[in-house]
Each structure stands twice: as C-alpha cells, then as structure tokens.
Amino acid sequence: MEPPPPVLATQESVDVLTKLVKSLHVKLDKLFSSSATVPAVHPVSTNSTTTYASVVLLVGSTEKKTPEETQEHDELILKEIILATHDKELKEAYESGSITHDRFPSNKPPGRRIVKYSLPSTKLRDKLLAGIRTIGKPSSFEPNMYVRRDLMPSELDQERCARDEARKRNISAGCLKFAN
C-alpha cells in the first residue's frame, strides 16, 4: 500500500501564514527594542548590593518606653543570638564593635520597627542566620519575632506580589489554603 500523496498548500494558506509571520516579527522587534529600556529583575549595582549583602533583619521586636531602653534591648537580643551560635568569629566581631544595629525606618514613630544588624561581611551574616536556624529562636524572642537577611527592593516587591496573590487565592477558596 502506497502512502497518500502530499497535500499541497494553497496560495490562500501561504498568504495567511506569511501575514502571521510578519506580525510576529513586528512584535519581536518591539520587544527587543524596548528591552534596552526595561531594568533587570535584580539590578546589580555595587553600591546597592553591598548595603543589603551583610545586613540581617530582626522583625517583630517591640520597642521599649524610651529610645535608650530600646537600644539596650536590641543590643541584648544581638548578644544573645551571637552567644547562642557559639561562633568564635561572630563573637570577635561583636566584641570589637564591628556589628552595628539601628531601627528602620528612622522617621517612623516607635512601635514595631525593624532592627537592622549590619555585619562586616556576608560570611558572618550567613553564619549568624545558620546559627539561628540550627538553635531555633532564643528564649528572649517574642512569639512573632524572626530573623532574616535584608532583601533588595526588587525582592521585596516580589514578596509583596506573592503575598497578595496568596491572599486573593485564599479569599476565592474561602479558606487558608495558600501561605501568606
């Protein structure tokens, strides 16, 4: 049995395909020409990455009655975290005063502002975060407190979008099915 003869394209089908290919080329040209003006998803700048690279955030820590008490409390928590990690390099950096901290944003009234701990290097930041993951939350932590690395603005935007999407899906599902 012989295979059926091939079906030849009509001029009409060739014209339709040609028109589709041309419109695709126009769209691709627009896309490639505008991509030069669109910023990268994760902008790489030596200035911005160094400010985020070695920072650890303490989220959920309530502030005390006075700024001095708050400063002391933040220092005490940092000391407890570092002592709990049992890391010699972290202890040396803490004792030398090269680990600093501040509440963020500074122009916001006291409440539950984020504490930013600036470490001398990303290596020490990673050791501190790994130590917290290993030992768990120190006893002085309030139930809603946690430690994480500082995120770049683009990463914060992605996190907010993901939370919003989870919230919308939970509302449409009528229950807490997706994590916030």
Side-chain angles (χ1 to χ4, degrees):
M1 180 175 224
E2 289 185 37
V7 178
L8 299 175
T10 63
Q11 187 59 42
E12 183 182 344
S13 64
V14 170
D15 292 341
V16 169
L17 284 175
T18 305
K19 185 178 177 183
L20 288 172
V21 169
K22 283 182 182 179
S23 70
L24 182 62
H25 278 288
V26 169
K27 289 177 183 177
L28 286 173
D29 288 341
K30 285 181 183 177
L31 180 69
F32 288 130
S33 67
S34 67
S35 67
T37 60
V38 176
V41 176
H42 296 286
V44 178
S45 162
T46 55
N47 294 338
S48 66
T49 51
T50 53
T51 56
Y52 297 102
S54 58
V55 175
V56 172
L57 300 181
L58 175 65
V59 181
S61 174
T62 53
E63 296 186 50
K64 304 302 175 195
K65 293 179 183 176
T66 66
E68 293 79 21
E69 288 177 0
T70 301
Q71 192 82 355
E72 275 182 36
H73 178 69
D74 296 344
E75 185 76 23
L76 182 69
I77 289 176
L78 174 62
K79 186 175 181 179
E80 185 178 350
I81 291 170
I82 289 173
L83 291 175
T85 61
H86 302 293
D87 187 84
K88 183 181 170 186
E89 286 183 72
L90 277 170
K91 287 179 188 174
E92 288 173 2
Y94 175 75
E95 289 167 359
S96 71
S98 58
I99 300 177
T100 61
H101 60 87
D102 198 16
R103 290 280 176 157
F104 181 80
S106 57
N107 60 354
K108 187 178 172 187
R112 284 191 179 266
R113 294 184 297 164
I114 292 172
V115 183
K116 285 192 171 193
Y117 294 111
S118 299
L119 288 90
S121 68
T122 56
K123 179 182 172 188
L124 289 177
R125 179 206 63 192
D126 293 341
K127 283 185 173 191
L128 188 119
L129 290 172
I132 285 292
R133 287 186 198 107
T134 303
I135 62 167
K137 289 184 178 182
S139 58
S140 65
F141 271 37
E142 299 166 26
N144 58 341
M145 284 173 58
Y146 63 94
V147 178
R148 68 166 171 84
R149 72 176 179 85
D150 198 6
L151 302 175
M152 294 181 67
S154 59
E155 293 172 310
L156 285 170
D157 289 341
Q158 289 176 345
E159 185 180 308
R160 284 185 194 109
C161 289
R163 267 193 261 126
D164 289 343
E165 182 66 26
R167 214 172 280 122
K168 288 175 189 174
R169 288 183 179 190
N170 285 334
I171 290 170
S172 67
C175 63
L176 289 177
K177 196 174 184 180
F178 304 94
N180 276 342

